[in-house]
Amino acid sequence: DGGITQSPKYLFRKEGQNVTLSCEQNLNHDAMYWYRQDPGQGLRLIYYSQIVNDFQKGDIAEGYSVSREKKESFPLTVTSAQKNPTAFYLCASSTQTRGGSGRNQPQHFGDGTRLSIL
Amino acid sequence: SQKIEQNSEALNIQEGKTATLTCNYTNYSPAYLQWYRQDPGRGPVFLLLIRENEKEKRKERLKVTFDTTLKQSLFHITASQPADSATYLCALGVAGRRALTFGSGTRLQVQP
């Protein structure tokens, strides 16, 4: 079955440490996204990528970095510069229309990684 | 400022009744609007997409309306069941932005 796999499900970060969250999809989707979800809040966009070797900052990119070396993979690194990293992180993917927009396509989500501070 | 508002208070209804959830938006001109279901500790699951030139969309027990004049979408679940209990998120697809913009969601609780 096609889908998106996020790992690990739970992650703990020490002060001053970078951690990397994994996201893999086998849906053959061009676009991939990272969101952060805090209690009682909507999903906020961190980074997105429309094609391999290209990505753009979302609304809250500071303290995060990404790479897109393969179509299937879009890992997110939470750096020590992110001072409030405790949150539920969601990865998603979608197809894109000819114009390059994914906004009119359903997004397929993984089951998230919950990051906490030790 | 731009806002997407969904009722932050949980909606409690009896099994068999119709649940109606609201998504209001301000200072957006979405070409598309999507609804997702999210269960605790899980990622959202896509339910329905409606375009700005569509008034209504249906899928089984689900119905979505989209009123661009009122800047509002209504999401209905008819003959609701306890298994429909979840948080429902609306998301806007707006021009000039290649990703969706999500509301904070409304939690629905269907009592048996």
Side-chain angles (χ1 to χ4, degrees):
Chain A
D1 272 347
I4 295 189
T5 302
Q6 290 188 244
S7 62
K9 193 165 181 63
Y10 300 95
L11 188 58
F12 298 90
R13 195 191 88 171
K14 294 180 182 177
E15 293 287 342
Q17 186 182 45
N18 294 352
V19 292
T20 297
L21 285 60
S22 170
C23 178
E24 304 276 333
Q25 56 102 355
N26 61 3
L27 298 166
N28 199 33
H29 286 166
D30 288 310
M32 296 187 75
Y33 313 84
W34 273 105
Y35 294 93
R36 170 182 172 140
Q37 187 174 35
D38 293 281
Q41 295 195 31
L43 280 64
R44 292 186 290 167
L45 183 67
I46 305 172
Y47 268 98
Y48 66 98
S49 169
Q50 296 174 266
I51 197 168
V52 173
N53 292 323
D54 187 47
F55 47 83
Q56 286 81 40
K57 292 181 180 179
D59 302 313
I60 55 165
E62 186 175 349
Y64 300 98
S65 66
V66 293
S67 63
R68 186 87 187 275
E69 297 176 2
K70 296 186 301 181
K71 188 175 186 177
E72 302 80 20
S73 178
F74 192 39
L76 173 74
T77 297
V78 184
T79 73
S80 56
Q82 173 47 245
K83 298 306 179 190
N84 184 24
T86 298
F88 189 48
Y89 289 87
L90 288 159
C91 179
S93 70
S94 73
T95 57
Q96 295 207 107
T97 59
R98 197 178 305 167
S101 170
R103 63 195 170 97
N104 60 343
Q105 300 298 314
Q107 292 193 2
H108 299 254
F109 285 84
D111 273 339
T113 292
R114 192 166 297 280
L115 177 61
S116 303
I117 297 299
L118 281 178
Chain B
S1 63
Q2 294 176 317
K3 283 194 300 186
I4 303 173
E5 292 181 331
Q6 294 187 257
N7 196 338
S8 59
E9 291 183 13
L11 177 63
N12 291 290
I13 64 168
Q14 285 295 121
E15 183 175 6
K17 301 291 187 184
T18 296
T20 299
L21 286 72
T22 304
C23 176
N24 295 303
Y25 56 91
T26 310
N27 292 328
Y28 283 110
S29 296
Y32 308 92
L33 193 145
Q34 302 188 24
W35 282 88
Y36 289 78
R37 169 187 172 136
Q38 186 175 24
D39 291 288
R42 305 293 299 272
V45 174
F46 170 77
L47 297 174
L48 281 167
L49 179 151
I50 187 166
R51 294 172 171 74
E52 62 179 337
N53 60 353
E54 296 176 318
K55 295 292 185 191
E56 183 180 295
K57 204 80 167 283
R58 290 176 185 262
K59 179 183 176 183
E60 297 171 351
R61 294 185 295 113
L62 309 180
K63 184 177 85 171
V64 171
T65 63
F66 191 10
D67 189 325
T68 55
T69 301
L70 291 178
K71 296 188 181 298
Q72 180 181 78
S73 174
L74 298 178
F75 177 79
H76 306 272
I77 305 176
T78 58
S80 60
Q81 304 165 0
D84 294 325
S85 299
T87 296
Y88 291 86
L89 305 167
C90 71
L92 307 184
V94 299
R97 189 176 160 88
R98 297 192 181 279
L100 296 173
T101 303
F102 281 84
S104 57
T106 298
R107 190 162 62 88
L108 172 67
Q109 191 72 35
V110 181
Q111 308 291 343

